[in-house]
Amino acid sequence: MCSHLCPLFLSCNAGEVPPENGDIQATHTHYSSMHTKTYSTSKDETCFSFRKLWAFTGPGFLMSIAYLDPGNIESDLQSGAKAGFKLLWVLLGATIIGLLLQRLAARLGVVTGMHLAEVCNRQYPTVPRIILWLMVELAIIGSDMQEVIGCAIAFNLLSVGRIPLWAGVLITIFDTFVFLFLDKYGLRRLEAFFGFLITIMALTFGYEYVTVKPDQGQLLKGMFLPYCEGCGPVQLEQAVGIVGAVIMPHNIYLHSALVKSRQVDRTKPREVKEANKYYFIESTIALFVSFLINVFVVAVFAEGFYGRTNLDVHNVCNHSGSPHTHLFPQDNNTLQVDIYKGGVVLGCFFGPVALYIWAVGILAAGQSSTMTGTYSGQFVMEGFLNLRWSRFARVLLTRSVAIVPTLLVAVFQDVQHLTGMNDFLNVLQSMQLPFALIPILTFTSLPSLMSEFTNGLFWKIGGGIVILVVCAINMYFVVVYVTGLNSVWLYVLAALLSVAYLCFVGYLVSGDLAAHFQRALGLPSLQGRRGGVAGQPTTLFLML
């Protein structure tokens, strides 16, 4: 028995006693400078310690916020409204795949001491490295636009329309200063604030869940039975959208950097293994919490609004005295909802309190995702370009690029067009997924980088299948989206971009295969552009 731990929460090998110096020592620092917190580890990594889990807790919850951004929330409510509970198994599967990918990202950061963008900088030639950077930046800007849209809609709902959408967009300029203010007060305080925002989302969306009282039997059936009875193209498109909304490319880059905030002695495989274990446990807990929140949203709209028509909702809103009755035409078409209409419908059916609580949850989702997007942008820029900007400059750049198109739509169009941008942005981010999945699978499979922690055969085959599925989903998503635009010129442009996209993906995949064949055939490694990690040679596998 390990005497320094509570016996009720301990798992040790029989007869093994850890040393007395197994305590954790921490020095709080800032993410902005990426200084680290130092821990001394027990000699017996098989012992489970809640103290150590707490010490490693933080990066996983910051990462999990990307699974709760306004784009995910809109995807959830549309899934419930269009397919009921039938697509919950897709959400569960996408979250599990996301967890496995986050595991690879964390392992890369822990084992190499570098995050994914830094490894890309060392391994890829200049041109593909710049293209990768641009693709990831597009994903970050797209995510930030969704956060701006979500916050603007939340302000509009909370003010009962007194704050117009364009004013809500402008307000999001100033909320970034809140983040810059908090960033100066230390790592643990910042992590606590993120935890507070996640708690707000859990309470607000949980309140909606309890109010609506979904059918638990149908919920469990939809979650664990991988079948969609009576589903058509609409539901299939929504299933694809769930995958694109849940698994976000820049989040993989972010997580590989956040784990560097805890210092690990990489000369001791035992410590590296222990860090990997606790990061995986923390990530599992964090994504389980985010999954529950997403389930709350899906279940609310599945129970309350699946199969309803515009006329049904119009009559209820008219009877309740809602000022938003005009949003729902008097026809028998199936109800179409977004994060704005979703709040309105909840207010009509369950009272104004439900609307305001919904808006608070959306605001918390937007605010928290803004901060993680800023971190991602800074790590990506520093890693790919060796360009160090101040946090203020990075926030200003990302938010400025995101606000301009969003503000134009908010000023010259209506809320339907503003929320409709989320569909395009989900497509955009889904298209960027291979540019995170291929590098993370490639680098975590290289013995020259990962040593004894390299991926096994299961991970290599499983990762390859995931990449193929994601690319197939992306092509389907693009075809569906573009064909709905009814423009020949857009068809031609989309075809040209698709060819270029597939060529670059093929280039990255060929480099991945070359690296594995080189290892399998026992060929000598080529020296990388910038040398190796911790004195090891790197393998330059992209010589095409």
Side-chain angles (χ1 to χ4, degrees), residues 25-36:
Q25 299 174 347
T27 303
H28 298 292
T29 56
H30 297 265
Y31 272 128
S32 55
S33 61
M34 283 310 297
H35 291 168
T36 56

Side-chain angles (χ1 to χ4, degrees), residues 32 373-383 389-391 394:
S32 55
T374 300
Y375 274 131
S376 300
Q378 185 174 31
F379 294 142
V380 164
M381 180 175 285
E382 291 179 358
W389 281 17
S390 68
R391 188 62 54 85
R394 176 65 218 190

Side-chain angles (χ1 to χ4, degrees), residues 280-299:
F280 182 66
I281 294 172
E282 186 230 2
S283 298
T284 302
I285 296 171
L287 289 190
F288 177 72
V289 172
S290 71
F291 173 71
L292 286 182
I293 295 174
N294 283 312
V295 168
F296 288 162
V297 178
V298 174

Side-chain angles (χ1 to χ4, degrees), residues 37 56 154 172 178 216 234 259 272 281 318 334 369 374 391 447 456 469 531 539:
K37 298 168 71 177
F56 282 98
T172 61
V178 176
Q216 301 303 304
V234 173
V259 296
V272 175
I281 294 172
N318 186 52
T334 303
S369 299
T374 300
R391 188 62 54 85
V469 170
T539 303

